[in-house]
Amino acid sequence: MSAYHPLTEAEAIEYARKLPDLFAPGSELSSREIGDGNLNLVFHISEPSSGKSIILKQALPYAKVVGESWPLTLDRARIESEALLIQESLCPKLVPHVHVYEPELALTVMQDLSDHVIMRKGLIEGQRYPLFAGHIATFLARTLFFTSDLGLNQQEKKERVKRFINPELCKITEDLIFDDPYTDSPNNNVPPAIRDAVEAVWQDNELHVEVAILRDKFLTKAQSLLHGDLHTGSIFIKADSTKVIDPEFAYYGPMGFDIGAVIANLLLNFAAQEGLSLDSASRRDYRDYLTGTIRDIWTKFEAEFRALWNEHGVDRMFRTPGFADYYLQEVLRDTVGFAGSKMVRRIHGLAQVADINQLQDEAARERAQRIALAIGTALIKSNRSVTSIDQLIETADKAVL
Ligand code: SR1
Ligand code: MG
């Protein structure tokens, strides 16, 4: 019989006490459940006498955001811990260190990042992170390159594809991003004030064709080991450090899905400036900071990815002049399309974002939602023709003219 059961705060302490080389024997430990995500329990365990602390993350057998009626595999804890170990080997400073993975309890013991803040919260508070673009570009370039057929032994890559088959978590994405937002699904949470704009999305056949193309890519394009849910709630940050967390949606998919996720969430904050900024000058200024960050992310990603390809490319045919240009243009196009899809799902889908939903002023919230929908749908429609990151930024700026 399985030993799995969701831990209480007291049991989390008992578990932590038994871990070797972490806490002094018999010392007082305190435990707080701090999980505010959609799926898991997260215990913060600390030893006041030494100031040491760790995180215990435990998968629940259902989606916390919905309840026990939505069962979910505990195998996602294995996927998450294995993905973190691969990411750590490629970018040691950019993910939390995993101390232990305990399959019986679907539990991962990892580095406490309480000295960082969740990036979504920092952006809502108007913080700026000048080093972020470089950090996340490195994370994206290294994880996407070295897990793909460009940078990994191609037989080993096939083994990795097998290990990271993640059907239940992918199904969440397939439903919540590439289906529900385009129909009157019971999973949606449609804000009444923008029902007209949402109904227009439901009826837009040209848009649906592009979403079907992106859905097909998500289902079939096993390009790289993705994080799979790289929004600003999956990033811990402080001035000089960025840590990517929570890769439980990891699977082999299209590179642009991860890059697009980061960009989409910066653009959701861009839309939310309708209510977050106090005046039009500071709104414009913060929006320029966000779009400047997006431009830097793509530019730095592309430069680093090309450098890795030149130095570590494993495939002779892929060194044919012109192929890298073609490949990166496709990654950019996927990035733009997936960024748009990830914006639309956060406006009237099941899981939305605090940047917009916490706006107290109803008129500002409605404007932000309409702006985000306008940007998201325009990006989706432009995904197959875009040729530069500046076009994505022009689309965003045009929506707030
Ligand atoms: C039922 S899970 C809802 C959302 O939360 C996660 O962070 C993913 O984005 C997922 O789509
Ligand atoms: Mg998560």
Side-chain angles (χ1 to χ4, degrees):
M1 205 173 85
S2 161
Y4 178 84
H5 64 284
L7 296 183
T8 62
E9 288 184 338
E11 287 172 320
I13 289 187
E14 285 322 303
Y15 182 86
R17 210 180 271 299
K18 291 185 199 134
L19 294 166
D21 307 326
L22 277 171
F23 301 118
S27 74
E28 191 196 324
L29 297 182
S30 71
S31 166
R32 260 180 326 125
E33 203 282 304
I34 55 167
D36 62 354
N38 295 324
L39 302 175
N40 306 293
L41 295 175
V42 181
F43 298 95
H44 179 264
I45 311 285
S46 59
E47 183 182 49
S49 60
S50 66
K52 284 187 190 167
S53 54
I54 50 164
I55 291 294
L56 265 55
K57 178 170 176 181
Q58 187 179 34
L60 287 167
Y62 54 87
K64 197 166 84 177
V65 67
V66 176
E68 295 188 31
S69 61
W70 188 333
L72 264 191
T73 174
L74 296 174
D75 188 47
R76 68 186 194 275
R78 174 191 65 81
I79 298 248
E80 172 165 345
S81 62
E82 290 191 13
L84 277 172
L85 291 173
I86 290 172
Q87 292 161 353
E88 187 179 20
S89 73
L90 297 171
C91 325
K93 292 190 180 147
L94 296 173
V95 293
H97 176 66
V98 172
H99 296 290
V100 176
Y101 163 59
E102 168 63 64
E104 288 268 289
L105 288 170
L107 185 75
T108 308
V109 182
M110 63 182 106
Q111 182 185 0
D112 176 27
L113 298 170
S114 303
D115 57 336
H116 294 58
V117 297
I118 286 292
M119 187 173 187
R120 188 182 303 290
K121 183 166 178 287
L123 293 179
I124 289 172
E125 289 168 359
Q127 302 296 328
R128 298 181 191 218
Y129 301 103
L131 300 184
F132 171 70
H135 290 164
I136 203 71
T138 295
F139 177 85
L140 290 165
R142 294 186 65 82
T143 61
L144 298 177
F145 178 82
F146 282 116
T147 62
S148 76
D149 287 302
L150 305 175
L152 177 64
N153 173 288
Q154 294 170 351
Q155 298 309 108
E156 167 63 14
K157 185 232 169 184
K158 292 175 184 68
E159 288 301 319
R160 292 256 182 106
V161 173
K162 268 202 274 181
R163 250 166 68 202
F164 286 97
I165 294 285
N166 196 354
E168 284 188 27
L169 282 279
C170 284
K171 175 85 168 95
I172 291 178
T173 302
E174 289 148 23
D175 289 347
L176 299 193
I177 301 185
F178 298 112
D179 189 346
D180 295 333
Y182 304 95
T183 187
D184 190 2
S185 161
N187 284 337
N188 290 331
N189 286 315
V190 180
I194 59 157
R195 190 157 185 102
D196 60 312
V198 172
E199 286 183 353
V201 167
W202 292 343
Q203 281 147 22
D204 189 339
N205 189 71
E206 183 197 343
L207 180 70
H208 294 190
V209 170
E210 299 305 322
V211 174
I213 290 169
L214 292 160
R215 176 181 171 87
D216 181 50
K217 286 186 179 168
F218 183 84
L219 286 161
T220 60
K221 195 168 179 175
Q223 211 170 20
S224 292
L225 178 62
L226 304 188
H227 176 284
D229 195 25
L230 193 40
H231 55 81
T232 46
S234 295
I235 298 170
F236 263 120
I237 197 156
K238 60 179 181 158
D240 58 352
S241 168
T242 302
K243 302 271 189 187
V244 176
I245 62 167
D246 276 4
E248 66 202 309
F249 283 76
Y251 88 113
Y252 260 84
M255 298 181 182
F257 189 76
D258 271 1
I259 312 168
V262 179
I263 291 174
N265 282 270
L266 296 175
L267 289 176
L268 287 163
N269 188 276
F270 175 103
Q273 292 306 315
E274 286 302 304
L276 292 173
S277 286
L278 296 177
D279 58 72
S280 60
S282 51
R283 183 174 302 133
R284 185 66 267 164
D285 193 50
Y286 201 75
R287 281 182 169 150
D288 288 345
Y289 156 68
L290 292 167
T291 52
T293 301
I294 291 170
R295 185 181 288 105
D296 284 353
I297 290 172
W298 176 263
T299 309
K300 287 170 190 282
F301 163 78
E302 183 176 0
E304 199 162 334
F305 195 89
R306 282 182 190 271
L308 292 172
W309 196 331
N310 287 335
E311 199 175 336
H312 302 285
V314 296
D315 189 301
R316 188 188 67 80
M317 281 305 290
F318 290 172
R319 280 195 289 274
T320 306
F323 181 65
D325 295 337
Y326 159 80
Y327 194 100
L328 277 154
Q329 174 150 295
E330 288 301 299
V331 174
L332 174 68
R333 290 180 167 171
D334 289 355
T335 294
V336 169
F338 289 126
S341 326
K342 290 199 145 240
M343 291 186 74
V344 171
R345 63 82 57 114
R346 296 294 187 189
I347 302 309
H348 58 276
L350 176 89
Q352 304 184 359
V353 288
D355 313 54
I356 292 179
N357 283 26
Q358 279 180 12
L359 295 179
Q360 296 303 311
D361 178 335
E362 281 180 30
R365 189 166 66 239
E366 178 182 339
R367 283 200 307 280
Q369 288 163 333
R370 288 183 186 276
I371 288 168
L373 269 191
I375 299 173
T377 53
L379 293 183
I380 292 171
K381 286 183 180 178
S382 70
N383 84 92
R384 282 188 292 156
S385 56
V386 82
T387 53
S388 88
I389 196 67
D390 286 335
Q391 286 170 273
L392 174 144
I393 292 167
E394 278 160 29
T395 300
D397 283 337
K398 224 167 87 188
V400 295
L401 272 184

